[in-house]
């Protein structure tokens, strides 16, 4: 679990304002958290796509948001899902030789022995592997899951500082905007 918190200056300011108008601070915090949650989802998607060869829709589909409410001022982004098919990553088919797969953006295409491309009557088209010497059963190979990509240390280093920055900026902005209305 990754926590994003306000910096000390904003906490002190919130304590001072809490004495004067607690409702204003609470509404500002909820709105700032909600804006941070949506902005962080975008940053997570960008960070994952910067490291892995995957589409934004596949990443965003696996992320679910829980927005902050007045009763519980905390927002949560949860990554769920199972390993993704290798068809979601970069594949190269050749007439001769094994198929090549690339999962990491800065990695090379790696040959996977026994991997071949198949079209089924059901409509599925993608890479397959034989599990036995017989013609069937076939297995569909998998790459990493979205939660493991999001939890990668290099990926976390990219989006956590931006999330803290957005939270602090939005909190100050929300308070100033609400004070200017009074």
């Amino acid at each position: 679990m990754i926590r994003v918190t306000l910096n000390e200056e904003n906490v002190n300011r919130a304590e001072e304002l809490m004495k004067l108008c607690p409702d204003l601070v609470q509404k500002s915090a909820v709105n700032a958290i909600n804006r941070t949650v949506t902005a962080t989802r975008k940053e997570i998607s960008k960070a994952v796509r910067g490291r892995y060869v995957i589409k934004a829709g596949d990443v965003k589909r696996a992320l679910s948001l829980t927005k902050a409410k007045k009763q519980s001022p905390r927002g949560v982004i949860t990554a769920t899902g199972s390993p993704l098919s290798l068809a979601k990553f970069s594949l190269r088919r050749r007439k001769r030789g094994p198929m090549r797969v690339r999962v990491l953006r800065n990695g090379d295409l790696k040959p996977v022995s026994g991997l071949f491309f198949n079209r089924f009557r059901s409509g599925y088209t993608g890479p397959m592997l034989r599990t036995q010497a017989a013609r069937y059963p076939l297995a569909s190979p998998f790459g990493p899951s979205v939660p493991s990509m999001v939890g990668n240390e290099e990926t976390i280093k990219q989006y956590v500082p931006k999330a803290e920055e957005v939270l602090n900026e939005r909190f100050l902005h929300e308070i100033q905007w609400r004070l200017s209305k009074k």
Side-chain angles (χ1 to χ4, degrees):
M1 179 191 240
I2 299 163
R3 290 184 182 268
V4 178
T5 58
L6 289 172
N7 62 19
E8 200 171 318
E9 177 187 328
N10 288 344
V11 170
N12 293 337
R13 185 167 184 172
E15 286 176 358
E16 291 171 11
L17 287 170
M18 202 66 161
K19 295 172 188 169
L20 300 172
C21 40
D23 195 42
L24 179 132
V25 174
Q26 190 171 16
K27 286 180 182 177
S28 298
V30 167
N31 284 352
I33 290 169
N34 288 339
R35 290 287 288 266
T36 302
V37 166
T38 55
T40 303
R41 181 174 84 172
K42 175 185 164 192
E43 290 300 324
I44 288 172
S45 175
K46 283 172 58 176
V48 168
R49 288 181 295 122
R51 180 163 167 72
Y52 298 93
V53 182
I54 189 167
K55 293 180 181 175
D58 294 330
V59 176
K60 288 181 181 175
R61 212 172 293 119
L63 299 175
S64 61
L65 306 179
T66 305
K67 293 202 171 189
K69 299 175 187 148
K70 189 175 180 181
Q71 299 83 10
S72 63
R74 71 177 244 192
V76 179
I77 301 173
T78 309
T80 57
S82 54
L84 298 171
S85 171
L86 277 183
K88 299 279 185 183
F89 299 96
S90 178
L91 291 172
R92 291 290 191 291
R93 292 183 356 197
R94 293 182 167 182
K95 288 187 178 186
R96 294 175 46 196
M99 282 183 70
R100 295 174 175 267
V101 179
R102 183 173 73 168
V103 175
L104 294 175
R105 189 159 301 277
N106 61 357
D108 293 332
L109 288 164
K110 309 270 184 195
V112 179
S113 63
L115 190 66
F116 62 96
F117 202 79
N118 201 4
R119 292 181 210 274
F120 290 98
R121 289 181 188 164
S122 65
Y124 175 76
T125 302
M128 302 300 288
L129 279 171
R130 295 204 194 293
T131 57
Q132 301 172 355
R135 187 170 181 174
Y136 290 103
L138 297 174
S140 184
F142 294 98
S145 65
V146 173
S148 67
M149 290 186 256
V150 171
N152 184 299
E153 287 183 31
E154 290 182 29
T155 310
I156 289 173
K157 288 177 187 174
Q158 290 179 2
Y159 66 82
V160 169
K162 290 181 182 177
E164 286 184 348
E165 180 184 328
V166 169
L167 179 64
N168 286 303
E169 286 177 8
R170 290 308 307 171
F171 183 67
L172 280 177
H173 173 77
E174 290 289 335
I175 285 180
Q176 289 172 353
W177 182 73
R178 290 188 193 305
L179 287 174
S180 70
K181 285 177 56 176
K182 286 193 172 202

